[in-house]
Amino acid sequence: GEDVEQSLFLSVREGDSSVINCTYTDSSSTYLYWYKQEPGAGLQLLTYIFSNMDMKQDQRLTVLLNKKDKHLSLRIADTQTGDSAIYFCAESRDTGRRALTFGSGTRLQVQP
Amino acid sequence: DGGITQSPKYLFRKEGQNVTLSCEQNLNHDAMYWYRQDPGQGLRLIYYSQIVNDFQKGDIAEGYSVSREKKESFPLTVTSAQKNPTAFYLCASSKAGVGTDTQYFGPGTRLTVL
């Protein structure tokens, strides 16, 4: 199976909270990242969390990490139409290969 | 302004031709990466380089080649051996090439084979 899994689609109303989930399989993951991609653009780093942390908050963004269950979530408070994009979860591992492993992305649609 | 630039933004190639995608960074990062993105999928690693004059194959290196002659530049050549090259190509860089370093991405090049 995939190393990093995400649901494909999430639809919310403007002003509501969005929660995007991600599961990963490698217990050696050191950092976990959330990236945002708008249509036709590159990836924008939103936030990241070190594997020994449970939670990280940055303005409207809250990242929760359950290391036991290998589950990561991104909560966006007061979701706006400008938050509509694809959100990628990614993990890095402290092994010989220094690159990120990405999920397939969750498309967030914000309805006015 | 510091950042990563990729050119061109759109590239069209005839079958059987080699094409080279440019990636330049002025962030003074040691490590650089090339990823490929297909519709509805995540990013897959093609090649990466942790230091000048050194590079390693990623998961899908067949049909691609790279060079790293300068710290700032990591061009990717898509050769005629790549069977399905139409995709969105993303370049990234990070400070020290270790697993914990954050990667920053360029705007991407969309390659279409005619």
Side-chain angles (χ1 to χ4, degrees):
Chain A
E2 294 291 326
D3 293 315
V4 181
E5 292 191 2
Q6 300 178 238
S7 54
L8 291 180
F9 186 75
L10 176 65
S11 180
V12 299
R13 290 191 178 278
E14 190 173 18
D16 288 349
S17 292
S18 307
V19 179
I20 301 171
N21 295 300
C22 171
T23 57
Y24 60 99
T25 58
D26 196 316
S27 58
S28 68
S29 296
T30 51
Y31 280 90
L32 294 129
Y33 300 84
W34 285 103
Y35 285 88
K36 176 183 179 182
Q37 185 181 38
E38 297 184 3
L43 272 65
Q44 173 193 352
L45 176 68
L46 289 177
T47 187
Y48 63 90
I49 189 168
F50 188 48
S51 58
N52 68 355
M53 297 171 65
D54 298 323
M55 186 182 86
K56 180 178 181 181
Q57 187 159 2
D58 184 1
Q59 299 183 334
R60 291 191 299 124
L61 304 179
T62 302
V63 178
L64 294 177
L65 176 61
N66 182 329
K67 196 170 182 181
K68 174 176 172 290
D69 294 339
K70 298 188 182 65
H71 182 266
L72 180 74
S73 68
L74 174 70
R75 178 177 179 270
I76 305 173
D78 187 26
T79 312
Q80 303 297 307
T81 54
D83 294 325
S84 293
I86 300 176
Y87 290 80
F88 289 96
C89 168
E91 61 171 352
S92 66
R93 303 169 185 176
D94 195 14
T95 61
R97 195 180 92 165
R98 312 299 193 186
L100 298 177
T101 301
F102 285 85
S104 56
T106 299
R107 181 177 295 276
L108 175 64
Q109 182 182 69
V110 182
Q111 298 177 346
Chain B
D1 289 337
I4 304 174
T5 57
Q6 292 185 242
S7 61
K9 187 172 175 65
Y10 299 97
L11 186 57
F12 298 89
R13 188 194 92 173
K14 293 182 181 179
E15 284 193 20
Q17 285 183 335
N18 292 355
V19 289
T20 298
L21 283 59
S22 169
C23 178
E24 304 275 334
Q25 54 96 1
N26 61 4
L27 300 168
N28 199 34
H29 284 172
D30 291 302
M32 298 185 74
Y33 311 80
W34 275 106
Y35 293 90
R36 169 181 171 140
Q37 185 180 25
D38 293 286
Q41 296 187 32
L43 280 65
R44 293 182 290 168
L45 182 68
I46 306 172
Y47 267 99
Y48 65 104
S49 167
Q50 296 186 43
I51 197 168
V52 175
N53 292 323
D54 183 63
F55 49 83
Q56 305 294 328
K57 291 183 179 180
D59 297 320
I60 55 167
E62 186 176 350
Y64 299 97
S65 66
V66 293
S67 63
R68 187 84 189 278
E69 297 175 2
K70 297 188 299 182
K71 187 176 185 178
E72 300 79 17
S73 178
F74 191 39
L76 174 73
T77 297
V78 185
T79 75
S80 57
Q82 170 49 235
K83 299 303 180 191
N84 185 20
T86 295
F88 191 48
Y89 291 86
L90 288 158
C91 178
S93 69
S94 67
K95 188 173 181 183
V98 296
T100 54
D101 272 341
T102 302
Q103 291 185 22
Y104 296 91
F105 284 80
T109 292
R110 186 166 300 280
L111 172 64
T112 302
V113 174
L114 303 173

